[in-house]
Amino acid sequence: MSVAADIIHVMVSPPATTVLVHSPYLGPASLRPLAGALAALGHAVLLLDLRVTVNAAPVHQRLIGVFADAVEDSLVDGDLVLVGHGGAGPLLPAFADALEIPVTGLVFVDADLPTPGRSRRDDTPAERMARLKSISRDGLMPRWDRWFAPEDLAGMVPDVRLLEEIVAEAPEVPLAFLKEPGPTVAWTGPCGYLRLSAAYDGALATARDLGWPVRELAANHLATASAPAEVAAAVAALITQLP
């Protein structure tokens, strides 16, 4: 199973490489502008393309295995910080555990938090689950962009070409993904949280209660693509705050 990777090597002061992990519902285009902005700040960045793993169940198992292989195949040196966006958040501890390379911290960007042993269906409102089932076909959920009105997407990413690239990458994820129990791997290392949209206020509050360093931007879920400089500055600040 082949996975593409963008590796941005620069002379850096941070000792760890930042590994950007896109949501299972999106592709690397949603994070590529952020990768460039982090590199401009002096961070070495690894951006993976994990879309090939989400087209069949068991999605969690496939994602974790291919992620580990892709990171190791990249021949990246030194410690890593994993930065997960959206639906990638719950998988970050399992990703870290699957690697031979040391992971020094996790950063959640407008992301769900880990719920070990619980499925996404367990924490999804019943009305939303019913809607996803009603619009799924042949066991596949519609692409992420089809969950929103076109004008809402245009508001998130005004650049038409960039939005087209993001939308073109969005995969159809099996509905069974929502029923799969989350990995039970425990993570006891440092974490940080960046909130971009109001949909993740609950996760932000939990992160703050846990004593994590947090940042907030008045933006939207795809600000990783449409406002990469601002998001990169916040991510970089969180990385420096990780113990």
Side-chain angles (χ1 to χ4, degrees):
M1 192 177 295
S2 177
V3 173
D6 294 339
I7 307 175
I8 304 175
H9 292 299
V10 294
M11 295 300 294
V12 296
S13 53
T17 295
T18 301
V19 181
L20 297 180
V21 189
H22 63 79
S23 167
Y25 305 113
L26 294 167
S30 62
L31 298 181
R32 191 166 288 115
L34 174 59
L38 282 167
L41 293 176
H43 290 253
V45 181
L46 174 63
L47 172 62
L48 304 178
D49 182 351
L50 301 175
R51 287 174 295 160
V52 69
T53 67
V54 302
N55 55 14
V59 177
H60 287 93
Q61 181 179 330
R62 287 160 54 86
L63 270 168
I64 294 166
V66 172
F67 170 86
D69 289 344
V71 171
E72 291 170 8
D73 290 347
S74 74
L75 303 179
V76 66
D77 294 324
D79 295 343
L80 308 176
V81 172
L82 308 187
V83 177
H85 180 231
L91 290 164
L92 289 184
F95 285 155
D97 184 70
L99 295 175
E100 298 290 338
I101 306 169
V103 175
T104 61
L106 309 178
V107 176
F108 298 77
V109 177
D110 224 37
D112 301 314
L113 297 179
T115 54
R118 293 179 60 81
S119 71
R120 298 178 190 233
R121 179 179 60 178
D122 293 336
D123 298 308
T124 299
E127 61 274 14
R128 186 177 181 189
M129 276 300 304
R131 179 174 180 272
L132 286 174
K133 288 180 181 178
S134 70
I135 60 178
S136 296
R137 296 291 181 270
D138 300 321
L140 297 174
M141 289 183 281
R143 297 181 335 202
W144 184 84
D145 60 287
R146 294 179 181 172
W147 303 3
F148 303 91
E151 59 270 21
D152 293 337
L153 287 172
M156 292 186 206
V157 185
D159 185 317
V160 175
R161 289 187 178 180
L162 179 56
L163 180 58
E164 288 177 348
E165 184 181 359
I166 293 171
V167 167
E169 286 187 350
E172 293 182 325
V173 181
L175 185 63
F177 175 53
L178 301 181
K179 304 174 185 179
E180 295 176 5
T184 56
V185 174
W187 170 262
T188 58
C191 298
Y193 196 92
L194 171 58
R195 176 268 200 195
L196 303 177
S197 64
Y200 291 88
D201 282 348
L204 172 68
T206 299
R208 186 176 280 120
D209 289 343
L210 290 170
W212 297 359
V214 302
R215 289 285 187 277
E216 298 179 63
L217 292 179
N220 65 70
H221 191 60
L222 291 181
T224 52
S226 58
E230 293 85 347
V231 176
V235 169
L238 286 171
I239 290 175
T240 62
Q241 287 184 271
L242 298 179

